Amino acid sequence: MPKKIVAPINYTARDFETIKDSLVEYAKKYYPDTYKDFNEASFGSLMLDTVAYVGDILSFYLDYQANETFLDTALEYKNVVKLAKQMGYKYQATPTSSGEVAFYALIPANSAGTGPDEDYYPVLKRNGSVTSDNQTKYLLTEDVDFANPDNEIIVAKTDSATGAPTFYAVKAFGRVISGELVTEYVDVGSYTKFRKVELTRGSNVSEIIQVLDSSGQEYFEVDYLSQDVIYKEFKNPTESHRKFAPKVIKPAIVPRRFVVNREPGLTELQFGHGSESDLSSDLIIDPANVLLNQTGKQYITDTSFDPYNFTTSDKFGIVPVETTLEVIYRINSAANSNAPVGAINAAPDITLKFKNEFNLNTTKTAAVRGSLEVINEEPILGNLMFRNSQDIKARAAGAFYSQNRAVTIQDYKTLVYSMDTKFGAVSRCNILLDQDSFKRNLNLYVIAEDFSKKLAPANDSIKQNLKVWLNKYKMISDTIDILDARIVNLGIDFSILSEPGVSKGEVLQRCFLALQEHLKLTPEIGEPFHIAKLYNVLNNVDGVVDTTGIDVFQKTGDLYSDTFFNVKQNLSPDNRYVIIPKNVIYEIKYMNDDIRGTIK
């Protein structure tokens, strides 16, 4: 019986050439009498090429799949998002813009002519819609009461004969958020554990407003299915306190709940696997019994206590069965929902309510409705540029280490970036210890983006939401001041030497495109401006022999920031970079105008 040949296999051969070489050597060594024709045009060479080709493809996909399992090396956007979510990053596919708008209405004068008739003060109901010049829609996030004593009132019309006021103009303010409401009905069949419901407008969903079943039972959104406590807002019962605190917050147990799973192009609701019968066993936990757990043992154990889980059920909430879900959610379909001052100027879908309207004069109420106007006196900000893979990877690393508390500077920055975009968003932030404070005061510097994707100060609504957001996580001894980062607009002059015989115009155009590509990413607040990197970018352009000079200077004027910054005094000792203060961010605002070059 012939002896079996045990041939060593070269496992390091992974690409086409090395695999083929290994196969050829294998054939020469072990089959010298069977196969001798190694000509490139032979049939045997074709078979070796085929096997090497298949091996090369398999090696490629093996490496590719291995890379896609780690956040640092993943390339596909969907995989980056999934890996980032595992580290605690909250993916938001459709950023939201928010801000404040002013409403104007003409209110009839009272019989004495001493002021507006209070019976004709309207209330603008929340979720009403206003629009901007480019037809982007915004929703009211709160009721706007024209009876608020803080509203501005002036005489608008007078009687031509007597001069007595007939109408007063009243100005009231309300907060708006970008988007429009969509209602979707989803039929749910038999019992399914951890049921998932996919929304048809998943790529544009910004926020789930309400989920109801056929019997009117409401399901509430939570961060994770084991969380059964949420905080609901109610009208403040103490009338004298409503001016400063119109709403009060109370905890509520929610056995019917869901989480929202977001991925690129997908939004779905996921429920638990409990049933209606579990409600009878969902007893409220006594914290004393949880923290001090003593049974038959002769000692006491210290049990962990989750302040967001107060029920004894482990079914992760009730799953809907044999019903129809009514899902109301807000979508943002506009490519850019930011708006400059004065862009919001129409209120096509606002509901006005009057107290005791049946007793009022219909002509006067119609006049109030017809007089309603709206305008935004400050920019509507928050919508950010598309989050690329590098941004998500950086945010995910911070989310993993923050662990829902703010201790380090990176914790604070991560929490700022992770605030739900329905409350607005900032482009960049930095936090510094206030050197002038005797206490542990922190200065949080933020910057947003305007409607044209240029840096702009964050509006008061975003800052107020940031304050509330950070209060949930910050150390009890920390105090935070939220401030605007200063913007410094820079310009660049460069000169290059081109190769002989090339088109100088084409080389110069390639230099402009290379610099624009290099500078397109928004820097961090306090990040230095590296001049040396510009030399490297220009020298790598085809047709450039050498970069003979680069001059960086500040751009000033009506279109630029009014921050004074001396570039020359802030150059590093070796002139390789510009030192940017920690509360300042630089910007090349207009790439086509602020970058100039000459060629020799």
Side-chain angles (χ1 to χ4, degrees), residues 81 194 493 544 551:
V81 171
F194 297 107
D493 274 342
V544 175
D551 181 35

Side-chain angles (χ1 to χ4, degrees), residues 44-169:
S45 182
L46 170 64
M47 300 308 297
L48 292 177
D49 287 348
T50 302
V51 174
Y53 172 78
V54 172
D56 192 2
I57 294 297
L58 292 176
S59 295
F60 168 78
Y61 281 109
L62 179 63
D63 292 342
Y64 189 81
Q65 293 299 325
N67 287 336
E68 291 298 307
T69 58
F70 298 97
L71 185 63
D72 288 341
T73 55
L75 297 176
E76 291 191 19
Y77 190 77
K78 287 186 176 181
N79 291 337
V80 172
V81 171
K82 289 180 178 179
L83 293 171
K85 289 169 62 177
Q86 293 178 6
M87 300 179 69
Y89 175 77
K90 294 183 178 180
Y91 174 73
Q92 295 287 342
T94 53
T96 297
S97 301
S98 62
E100 192 173 57
V101 297
F103 290 94
Y104 298 86
L106 296 179
I107 309 300
N110 57 30
S111 56
T114 57
D117 190 337
E118 296 182 359
D119 292 336
Y120 289 90
Y121 278 138
V123 175
L124 312 184
K125 304 303 290 184
R126 64 176 302 179
N127 291 331
S129 177
V130 297
T131 59
S132 63
D133 293 331
N134 60 1
Q135 300 305 308
T136 301
K137 293 185 177 181
Y138 301 84
L139 297 172
L140 266 177
T141 61
E142 59 188 1
D143 291 344
V144 178
D145 191 355
F146 274 77
N148 191 321
D150 293 333
N151 292 339
E152 300 179 20
I153 303 174
I154 61 172
V155 176
K157 295 182 180 180
T158 59
D159 188 289
S160 58
T162 64
T166 57
F167 282 90
Y168 288 85

Side-chain angles (χ1 to χ4, degrees), residues 500-520:
V502 300
S503 172
K504 293 185 178 181
E506 292 182 2
V507 173
L508 194 60
Q509 182 63 24
R510 287 198 292 267
C511 290
F512 284 129
L513 294 177
L515 287 177
Q516 290 176 8
E517 179 68 20
H518 175 70
L519 297 169
K520 69 178 183 179

Side-chain angles (χ1 to χ4, degrees), residues 64 260 328 383 544 567 583:
Y64 189 81
V260 180
I328 303 175
N383 186 19
V544 175
V567 175
N583 62 337

Side-chain angles (χ1 to χ4, degrees), residues 317-582:
I318 296 174
V319 61
V321 177
E322 301 293 348
T323 185
T324 298
L325 295 179
E326 179 186 17
V327 185
I328 303 175
Y329 52 90
R330 179 171 56 86
I331 64 171
N332 269 284
S333 54
N336 185 354
S337 58
N338 290 342
V341 174
I344 298 178
N345 50 27
D349 188 20
I350 292 289
T351 301
L352 281 75
K353 295 292 185 179
F354 298 89
K355 294 181 179 178
N356 303 318
E357 185 171 354
F358 291 108
N359 299 327
L360 301 181
N361 184 298
T362 56
T363 303
K364 291 183 177 181
T365 56
V368 173
R369 286 191 170 93
S371 68
L372 184 67
E373 296 181 3
V374 62
I375 193 170
N376 60 309
E377 298 179 347
E378 63 177 26
I380 306 298
L381 304 176
N383 186 19
L384 301 180
M385 297 177 66
F386 175 74
R387 293 282 192 203
N388 57 35
S389 297
Q390 295 301 320
D391 282 339
I392 293 179
K393 289 179 181 180
R395 303 287 185 266
F400 179 74
Y401 291 111
S402 66
Q403 298 180 355
N404 284 335
R405 85 284 184 269
V407 178
T408 67
I409 290 177
Q410 187 59 45
D411 291 342
Y412 275 105
K413 295 175 69 173
T414 299
L415 289 170
V416 170
Y417 290 133
S418 64
M419 184 178 72
D420 197 316
T421 54
K422 69 183 179 182
F423 303 121
V426 298
S427 177
R428 293 292 184 267
C429 72
N430 196 17
I431 190 162
L432 305 172
L433 182 64
D434 190 348
Q435 301 297 335
D436 298 327
S437 174
F438 293 104
K439 298 181 179 180
R440 195 169 180 254
N441 187 65
L442 302 173
N443 290 336
L444 174 62
Y445 294 94
V446 297
I447 200 73
E449 292 177 358
D450 62 15
F451 68 101
S452 60
K453 301 299 183 183
K454 308 299 182 184
L455 295 179
N459 59 36
D460 291 339
S461 297
I462 296 177
K463 294 176 184 175
Q464 180 62 31
N465 289 335
L466 270 177
K467 176 184 176 182
V468 176
W469 176 257
L470 293 176
N471 277 339
K472 298 176 13 181
Y473 305 102
K474 73 178 185 68
M475 300 286 286
I476 194 171
S477 59
D478 285 351
T479 58
I480 305 174
D481 292 334
I482 303 177
L483 308 170
D484 291 320
R486 295 158 56 198
I487 303 172
V488 169
N489 297 120
L490 298 178
I492 300 171
D493 274 342
F494 66 89
S495 57
I496 58 174
L497 180 64
S498 64
E499 296 177 354
V502 300
S503 172
K504 293 185 178 181
E506 292 182 2
V507 173
L508 194 60
Q509 182 63 24
R510 287 198 292 267
C511 290
F512 284 129
L513 294 177
L515 287 177
Q516 290 176 8
E517 179 68 20
H518 175 70
L519 297 169
K520 69 178 183 179
L521 295 180
T522 304
E524 297 292 336
I525 298 174
E527 179 180 337
F529 182 81
H530 294 277
I531 302 175
K533 291 183 179 180
L534 302 185
Y535 278 94
N536 186 53
V537 170
L538 292 174
N539 288 335
N540 288 330
V541 175
D542 291 339
V544 175
V545 175
D546 190 24
T547 303
T548 57
I550 294 179
D551 181 35
V552 179
F553 55 93
Q554 183 182 9
K555 296 287 292 187
T556 58
D558 295 337
L559 299 177
Y560 299 95
S561 169
D562 58 359
T563 301
F564 175 75
F565 183 76
N566 192 317
V567 175
K568 301 298 182 185
Q569 292 182 359
N570 285 278
L571 284 173
S572 63
D574 55 4
N575 292 338
R576 294 175 62 87
Y577 60 91
V578 180
I579 301 172
I580 303 296
K582 295 301 182 181

